[in-house]
């Protein structure tokens, strides 16, 4: 082979490999940015139903099935609710018995493959909780956004914003508590959700563009009787809340933030999502760069919105060290930097966006203490 020919082949090989790597990085970024609402989060293990009985279900033994608390259990055509582990019930060493609270949809057949989800309820506020609500549409930047409005007596409204892998059914976990506190609630969907407009590029931006829909929900609340608004967001919904209070023209009407499992480090969460999807480690830097190229500088915008020095309102952060998708470290640093403004409620043994599930009573007590001075 002539030297020039060999060099050309080598260069073509390098270029081809580089092009393939870039394409793979772009594909991986799409996977990382595209968790589908109502589907298990990446990295959440599949469990097998080994048996069911009165008030109990037997599942594959593992760290997930041993988690404390109460969770949704979902699989193809089925949604149920499981409570605590029942250690005294006889079972095989490779299984776990949990209390079966109820089955909302389908049947838990032996051999079914299911996953735990923080989304406890299936249905509307009325059908799931017996709480009267109105189906409303929030005028959004891309089109109308379906929402549930639950009326109550106070003039401070709570706008709830779900996060990765869930739908507006997820905030129903705390709706009973908020309703008992006489707080009106606007549970809003946003771009990419079922029934809401699709984003033009077909992927999520981890709150970087979706916050405009939260801003629209704040505007809707103020036009319909709210004097002030509290934003309660989970996961990327928490990131949207931070963007809104930092950038909205209505930020002076936002009284406080509740950030559950907040995505505060955009790059770290993209990496974590890609890793959970089994993207090779060597491709992770390309994945982050490809995600930045597809969505714009949302990581920089989030860093600005989550800057402790710029935070303008009382904030409750509910998070824990076992969250593998949104690192706990930034939440701790946020609280440590603004001790008079930010309260951190730490929850252990809880996966991403499942802080309420791990210990509902302590969660709601922390929420009560935070809300009382604001309402």
């Amino acid at each position: 082979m002539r030297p020039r020919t060999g060099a050309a082949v080598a260069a073509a090989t390098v270029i081809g490999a580089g092009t393939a790597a870039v394409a793979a990085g772009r594909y991986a970024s799409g996977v990382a940015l595209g968790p589908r609402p109502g589907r298990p989060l990446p990295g959440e293990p599949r469990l097998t139903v080994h048996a069911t009985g009165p008030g109990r279900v037997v599942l594959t033994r593992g760290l997930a099935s041993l988690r404390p608390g109460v969770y949704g259990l979902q699989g193809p055509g089925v949604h149920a609710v499981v409570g605590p582990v029942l250690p005294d019930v006889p079972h095989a060493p490779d299984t776990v018995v949990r209390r079966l609270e109820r089955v909302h949809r389908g049947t838990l057949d032996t051999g079914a493959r299911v996953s735990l989800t923080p989304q406890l309820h299936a249905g509307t506020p009325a059908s799931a909780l017996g709480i009267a609500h109105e189906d409303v549409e929030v005028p959004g930047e891309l089109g109308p956004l379906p929402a549930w409005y639950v009326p109550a007596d106070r003039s401070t409204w709570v706008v709830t914003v779900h996060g990765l892998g869930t739908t507006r059914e997820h905030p129903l976990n705390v709706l009973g508590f908020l309703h008992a506190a006489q707080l009106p609630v606007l549970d809003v969907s946003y771009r990419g959700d079922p029934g809401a407009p699709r984003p033009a590029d077909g992927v999520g931006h981890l709150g970087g563009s979706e916050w405009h829909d939260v801003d629209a929900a704040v505007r809707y609340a103020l036009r319909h009787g709210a004097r002030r608004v509290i934003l309660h967001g989970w996961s990327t919904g928490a990131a949207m809340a931070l963007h809104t209070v930092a950038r909205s023209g209505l930020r002076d009407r936002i009284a406080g933030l509740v950030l559950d499992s907040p995505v505060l480090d955009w790059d770290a969460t993209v990496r974590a999502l890609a890793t959970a999807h089994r993207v090779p480690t060597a491709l992770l830097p390309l994945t982050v760069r490809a995600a930045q190229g597809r969505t714009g500088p949302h990581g920089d915008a989030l860093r600005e919105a989550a800057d402790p020095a710029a935070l303008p309102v009382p904030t409750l952060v509910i998070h824990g060290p076992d969250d593998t998708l949104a690192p706990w470290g930034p939440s701790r640093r946020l609280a440590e930097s603004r001790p008079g403004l930010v309260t951190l409620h730490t929850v252990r043994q809880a996966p991403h966006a499942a802080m309420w599930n791990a210990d509902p009573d302590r969660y709601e007590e922390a929420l009560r203490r935070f809300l009382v001075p604001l309402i």
Side-chain angles (χ1 to χ4, degrees):
M1 183 180 290
R2 295 178 180 178
R4 288 185 180 179
T5 305
V9 171
T13 300
V14 170
I15 292 170
T19 301
V22 170
R26 182 173 175 80
Y27 171 78
S29 73
V31 170
L33 293 171
R36 297 177 63 182
R39 297 291 183 89
L41 284 174
E44 188 64 33
R46 297 280 182 167
L47 307 171
T48 299
V49 176
H50 292 272
T52 58
R56 66 188 64 169
V57 59
V58 184
L59 301 169
T60 306
R61 188 178 188 84
L63 293 177
S65 57
L66 286 168
R67 291 171 187 156
V70 57
Y71 286 86
L73 195 66
Q74 65 181 13
V78 64
H79 186 279
V81 177
V82 293
V85 172
L86 302 175
D88 297 330
V89 176
H91 59 281
D94 60 345
T95 64
V96 172
V97 183
R98 296 191 74 116
R99 190 168 68 210
L100 179 59
E101 305 282 0
R102 57 190 177 274
V103 178
H104 288 135
R105 181 175 62 244
T107 58
L108 284 174
D109 297 322
T110 299
R113 300 284 282 170
V114 294
S115 300
L116 294 180
T117 171
Q119 191 163 301
L120 211 66
H121 299 287
T124 68
S127 66
L129 298 169
I131 296 176
H133 73 281
E134 300 172 18
D135 291 299
V136 301
E137 287 189 340
V138 172
E141 182 182 55
L142 302 182
L145 304 167
W148 292 317
Y149 168 59
V150 178
D153 292 338
R154 297 189 188 275
S155 60
T156 297
W157 288 29
V158 177
V159 173
T160 56
V161 193
H162 69 88
L164 290 169
T166 62
T167 68
R168 59 187 164 128
E169 292 171 315
H170 185 200
L172 298 184
N173 287 4
V174 299
L175 182 60
F177 169 83
L178 296 173
H179 189 61
Q182 288 299 302
L183 285 161
V185 176
L186 184 64
D187 186 5
V188 68
S189 56
Y190 51 83
R191 61 193 68 186
D193 279 351
R198 295 286 299 168
D201 57 8
V203 297
H205 297 169
L206 302 186
S209 61
E210 295 89 346
W211 76 269
H212 291 285
D213 297 337
V214 180
D215 188 38
V218 172
R219 190 176 306 277
Y220 180 95
L222 295 174
R223 286 177 175 172
H224 289 80
R227 297 186 63 184
R228 300 200 305 167
V229 171
I230 294 167
L231 302 180
H232 188 152
W234 289 255
S235 178
T236 50
M240 295 176 218
L242 280 167
H243 280 294
T244 304
V245 79
R247 303 166 69 181
S248 171
L250 303 169
R251 56 186 174 272
D252 61 326
R253 305 293 291 276
I254 298 173
L257 302 177
V258 180
L259 309 178
D260 183 316
S261 311
V263 171
L264 302 179
D265 186 328
W266 196 91
D267 292 0
T269 295
V270 171
R271 282 175 171 269
L273 286 167
T275 300
H277 277 293
R278 300 181 180 178
V279 172
T281 301
L283 285 179
L284 292 179
L286 281 173
T287 300
V288 173
R289 288 199 293 273
Q292 291 168 340
R294 297 182 75 169
T295 66
H298 294 305
D300 294 337
L302 180 57
R303 277 188 286 275
E304 292 175 7
D307 181 359
L311 195 63
V313 296
T315 300
L316 173 64
V317 180
I318 309 176
H319 208 175
D322 300 294
D323 187 337
T324 59
L325 294 183
W328 185 48
S331 290
R332 285 192 303 160
R333 290 191 288 274
L334 181 64
E336 291 165 356
S337 299
R338 298 295 299 275
L341 194 70
V342 180
T343 301
L344 175 63
H345 176 69
T346 300
V347 182
R348 300 185 184 276
Q349 293 183 274
H352 184 66
M355 304 299 126
W356 180 90
N357 303 79
D359 195 337
D361 291 340
R362 287 187 63 241
Y363 187 109
E364 292 181 1
E365 177 58 19
L367 189 55
R368 184 192 67 79
R369 289 174 179 269
F370 174 75
L371 291 175
V372 164
L374 301 181
I375 60 176

